[in-house]
Amino acid sequence: MKLYSGPLSMFGAKAEIAAREKGLDVELIMVPFEMKRLYEPKHPEVARINPKRQVPVLIDDGPDGTLEIFDSTQIFEYFETVKPEPALWPAEPKARAGARLLEHKSDEVYFPHIIRLMGLQGSLDDPAATVALDGSARFYGEMEQRIGEQEWLAGSYSYADIAFYMAQLFGARMGAPMTDAHPRLLAWRDRVSARPAVRQVACAMGRYLLSQKRTLPPFLAKLSA
């Protein structure tokens, strides 16, 4: 397998963490990236396979044929199919559906707020930033209530944890950190950070940011030290 990702791709990081958690033999290919030009010009394999021209892209070239897919959730699902153990979705149908919904909400409900904050870190009193900050705070409150006394978001450690961990890492970078108002989530983040697969991927991202003279959120700075 070949996984195409980028040094600051939240979705690529999700797929990489999943591959490492599964112990899959995956060749990680970091496509060219610069802070000013971003991913331009696009990597030819990424542009060929994904109509959106974005990472992550997975190629699995084996004796039974070649699979080429994109989108972190689709890659999650494929990993779970080809290597069911260790399981990263709950086994019980309702719990699995709930975990899938949480993963989806991290990407499609929470993360759009963070996208709106990009470029507004120096003006968080801007009306657009205020709306985004309010939305992210509401989501943190929902997740704080959701996790309750559980160790993980969906009962057992799952893709839902991976998705929200990476999304909130970007939230912290963009000026929407979790706070003391979310003690259960902060403890949850420490547990996720302690997982070797997560630590390896998050620290690599932290090192890249430092190489570009970017400031790290305190939890990522501590992790990357």
Side-chain angles (χ1 to χ4, degrees):
M1 294 186 196
K2 293 181 179 179
L3 177 65
Y4 291 83
S5 185
L8 289 183
S9 170
M10 183 198 85
F11 296 102
K14 285 170 55 181
E16 183 186 351
I17 290 169
R20 293 185 183 282
E21 293 282 11
K22 290 282 187 183
L24 289 165
D25 184 11
V26 174
E27 178 186 357
L28 179 66
I29 301 171
M30 285 293 183
V31 304
F33 176 86
E34 294 179 11
M35 284 292 187
K36 291 183 178 179
R37 299 176 63 189
L38 303 180
Y39 291 101
E40 297 294 344
K42 300 291 186 180
H43 190 285
E45 286 292 84
V46 173
R48 179 180 68 82
I49 294 168
N50 186 353
K52 296 175 71 175
R53 300 162 62 85
Q54 298 170 344
V55 293
V57 163
L58 181 76
I59 301 176
D60 188 1
D61 189 6
D64 55 346
T66 299
L67 175 73
E68 299 175 339
I69 59 174
F70 58 90
D71 181 83
S72 60
T73 303
Q74 301 304 314
I75 294 170
F76 278 178
E77 296 287 359
Y78 182 62
F79 287 167
E80 193 74 357
T81 299
V82 297
K83 191 171 182 186
E85 298 296 333
L88 288 176
W89 285 131
E92 194 275 324
K94 289 182 179 178
R96 179 173 291 212
R100 282 188 166 121
L101 181 61
L102 285 173
E103 191 262 341
H104 179 74
K105 289 172 75 172
S106 291
D107 289 355
E108 303 296 337
V109 177
Y110 168 74
F111 198 59
H113 298 306
I114 306 311
I115 292 174
R116 292 187 190 100
L117 290 172
M118 293 181 178
L120 294 174
Q121 292 80 42
S123 53
L124 292 179
D125 56 349
D126 181 283
T130 300
V131 171
L133 290 170
D134 288 346
S136 61
R138 285 195 303 272
F139 195 83
Y140 293 150
E142 178 186 338
M143 291 298 100
E144 177 78 5
Q145 195 167 38
R146 165 81 194 203
I147 196 167
E149 300 303 321
Q150 298 182 129
E151 191 173 13
W152 309 111
L153 293 175
S156 58
Y157 178 72
S158 72
Y159 293 122
D161 297 289
I162 296 171
F164 185 45
Y165 180 89
M166 286 310 309
Q168 63 78 43
L169 186 155
F170 275 74
R173 285 191 59 224
M174 298 302 153
M178 299 188 299
T179 69
D180 291 342
H182 316 110
R184 293 167 176 168
L185 280 185
L186 293 174
W188 161 83
R189 186 173 66 189
D190 287 343
R191 289 192 291 272
V192 181
S193 294
R195 297 185 69 88
V198 175
R199 179 182 292 270
Q200 187 167 355
V201 176
C203 286
M205 188 173 286
R207 288 193 297 272
Y208 180 82
L209 286 165
L210 289 173
S211 76
Q212 301 299 307
K213 312 300 183 185
R214 299 302 172 102
T215 302
L216 302 186
F219 87 94
L220 184 57
K222 180 180 178 181
L223 191 66
S224 302

